[in-house]
Amino acid sequence: MLKSSASPNSMDQRNLTRLRVLEHIRAKGAISRIDIASALQTSPATITAATADLISAGLIKEIEGEPQSKTAKRGRPRVSLQLDGSSFIVAGLKIARHVISVIIVDFEGNEVASHNHPLDHARMTPSAFVSAIRTALEEACALMDGSLRHLSGVSIGIAGLVEADKNFVHWSSSLTERNVDLSRLLEAELPFPAFIENDTNLVAKAEQHFGLGKGLRNFLVVTIEHGLGLGIVLDGKLYRGERGCGAEFGHIKVQLDGALCQCGQRGCLEAYVGDYALIREVTVAGQGKGTETVADIRDSARSGDQRAISVLERAGQMFGLGLSNLVNLFDPECIILSGAQMSFEHLCSEEVMNRLQSGVVNVDAPLPEIKVNHWGDLMWAKGAAAYGIEQVSILKVKELAAHAS
Ligand SMILES: [Zn+2]
């Protein structure tokens, strides 16, 4: 059960209906059976059966809503259904270079606790990686006077190439090894299901559910942190690619035989834009004494340091070029720039937008909107939590089927 993410693909019709009802209730907050039946174009009898099953599993509960109408006899209260927030507690977790961010949420997505666990090493062996995850979760659980046993699942966001439905990491800057099957290690270390996903996909999910992507059909999310990520939402669905690897925007080539990237190849966009690349450039020039962060480089640029200015300008030009390639490929409604570095204007400056515009194939229509989202560090973990709730919901609905048969 713990070896792979839960997929609705293998569900029978009855379970798919239960899941659709559950997701509809999640989207609407509180809703009556008859309104669910009408919205999902399903018979009231089917909805009554599905909601009874979901109530018995503790996933939803009945509440007394407003009377149906003022003229209704004796004002018989209308019964609505809503999620049972207290039923399950789920953790979302994001692995960054120096910290693991954890957020614990109830089944409705309300924050119960959040915690940052510092990391001594950016790259870890698979077993050190999983043990750090366990420690971070234990510390977060202690904040709510609980233990790991209180959690129903955890979703883990990690940079790199991830096959989400197998908890398999092809490559990640957080791991010392390639081609790591984390399912067994996670199963041995954690008493509940764990779901690994590419961190940018999780941000795309967060943007789609409660961010700037809400209501959009086709949009892209570019995350900029240690590296560059791309989340692709097409026709309302997250596009993961055939191997489940998502999209590696950071590793599109912008220079033949160019700068060395941390993936081992040369000329990747990330090798010019990622924070490690900026710090490396300044340090190589011998002017990087005390330069540890991109903020340091920006401070130097502000005080007129020519090297810092040119490094940031080149990053901006390369980034604009990359964005124009995205527009040419996808023609999205909107591109959302998201991540810790996004408070830095060098990647959304007028020069960058000019470079973007000059690289886009000319048509007599406005360019897609470029939006900047200044979310805090917890954004990643919140996206993970949203994915965790989705996965736990699927598992619980599948368990229902097992009990019923
Ligand atoms: Zn690369």
Side-chain angles (χ1 to χ4, degrees):
M1 182 179 78
L2 307 185
K3 283 180 189 170
S4 64
S5 75
S7 163
N9 296 339
S10 55
M11 282 188 168
D12 62 17
Q13 190 54 46
R14 189 175 50 169
N15 269 347
L16 282 174
T17 303
R18 288 165 173 164
L19 198 60
R20 282 178 69 213
V21 169
L22 183 63
E23 291 314 313
H24 193 70
I25 294 170
R26 178 179 303 288
K28 294 296 172 189
I31 186 169
S32 68
R33 287 180 177 83
I34 196 71
D35 288 343
I36 299 172
S38 149
L40 299 184
Q41 295 183 314
T42 308
S43 76
T46 303
I47 297 302
T48 298
T51 53
D53 294 338
L54 293 171
I55 289 171
S56 75
L59 291 160
I60 60 171
K61 61 184 177 188
E62 284 187 332
I63 51 160
E64 282 196 359
E66 294 297 306
Q68 279 174 319
S69 75
K70 284 177 184 167
T71 56
K73 279 183 185 170
R74 300 190 186 278
R76 187 181 163 208
R78 174 172 169 153
V79 173
S80 287
L81 297 159
Q82 69 173 39
L83 293 176
D84 191 351
S86 62
S87 52
F88 302 107
I89 291 179
V90 173
L93 196 145
K94 149 77 176 171
I95 319 282
R97 264 176 85 68
H98 302 296
V99 67
I100 296 180
S101 306
V102 186
I103 185 166
I104 296 178
V105 297
D106 68 16
F107 197 56
E108 290 177 80
N110 302 310
E111 181 176 335
V112 177
S114 65
H115 174 62
N116 282 329
H117 171 79
L119 286 174
D120 295 333
H121 304 286
R123 275 177 190 263
M124 292 166 276
T125 63
S127 59
F129 176 82
V130 173
S131 124
I133 287 172
R134 184 190 168 100
T135 306
L137 284 169
E138 280 170 343
E139 290 167 357
C141 286
L143 292 176
M144 56 168 204
D145 295 324
S147 74
L148 289 185
R149 300 267 158 211
H150 290 96
L151 296 175
S152 295
V154 59
S155 167
I156 300 154
I158 179 174
L161 300 167
V162 178
E163 211 159 331
D165 61 352
K166 293 179 182 157
N167 280 346
F168 187 90
V169 181
H170 290 274
W171 175 84
S172 169
S173 55
S174 295
L175 290 171
T176 52
E177 294 171 26
R178 299 178 85 98
N179 301 317
V180 181
D181 180 354
L182 285 171
S183 54
R184 283 185 189 286
L185 280 171
L186 288 165
E187 197 174 339
E189 199 74 35
L190 301 173
F192 43 75
F195 314 99
I196 304 257
E197 173 61 291
N198 170 275
D199 53 5
T200 306
N201 282 345
L202 295 177
V203 174
K205 216 159 247 307
E207 291 286 6
Q208 185 180 26
H209 285 289
F210 37 80
L212 298 176
K214 211 170 179 177
L216 299 182
R217 299 294 299 166
N218 299 298
F219 69 94
L220 306 174
V221 178
V222 173
T223 56
I224 305 156
E225 202 198 23
H226 179 60
L228 285 180
L230 175 64
I232 304 170
V233 176
L234 297 178
D235 205 21
K237 288 185 186 142
L238 188 64
Y239 176 77
R240 283 194 170 91
E242 189 57 40
R243 292 168 301 159
C245 290
E248 286 303 312
F249 181 48
H251 305 282
I252 63 164
K253 305 301 178 277
V254 291
Q255 183 83 54
L256 195 63
D257 299 326
L260 184 63
C261 179
Q262 59 175 354
C263 75
Q265 298 190 332
R266 287 191 175 273
C268 296
L269 179 57
E270 197 169 291
Y272 296 92
V273 176
D275 57 1
Y276 75 91
L278 300 182
I279 292 162
R280 177 179 64 189
E281 279 299 297
V282 172
T283 310
V284 164
Q287 295 175 10
K289 282 175 194 147
T291 300
E292 281 170 5
T293 67
V294 176
D296 294 336
I297 300 176
R298 231 163 66 98
D299 287 346
S300 302
R302 275 206 190 114
S303 58
D305 182 309
Q306 279 307 314
R307 182 67 196 172
I309 291 171
S310 79
V311 165
L312 292 182
E313 273 179 5
R314 186 170 71 158
Q317 289 297 304
M318 290 297 194
F319 189 61
L321 186 65
L323 290 182
S324 68
N325 289 337
L326 289 184
V327 174
N328 287 336
L329 278 174
F330 291 100
D331 186 25
E333 290 168 82
C334 163
I335 298 180
I336 301 166
L337 308 180
S338 194
Q341 259 200 45
M342 289 321 299
S343 55
F344 298 166
E345 67 262 22
H346 72 279
L347 292 179
C348 31
S349 67
E350 206 180 322
E351 290 76 19
V352 175
M353 294 308 138
N354 289 341
R355 164 58 72 181
L356 159 65
Q357 193 153 18
S358 67
V360 171
V361 173
N362 262 325
V363 286
D364 290 330
L367 280 174
E369 205 177 343
I370 309 292
K371 294 180 178 175
V372 180
N373 202 350
H374 293 283
W375 281 11
D377 288 345
L378 269 182
M379 164 188 66
W380 306 85
K382 278 181 185 162
Y387 180 61
I389 289 173
E390 197 179 292
Q391 296 293 300
V392 167
S393 301
I394 294 170
L395 283 181
K396 296 297 170 190
V397 166
K398 281 186 169 174
E399 280 172 20
L400 258 176
H403 291 150
S405 58

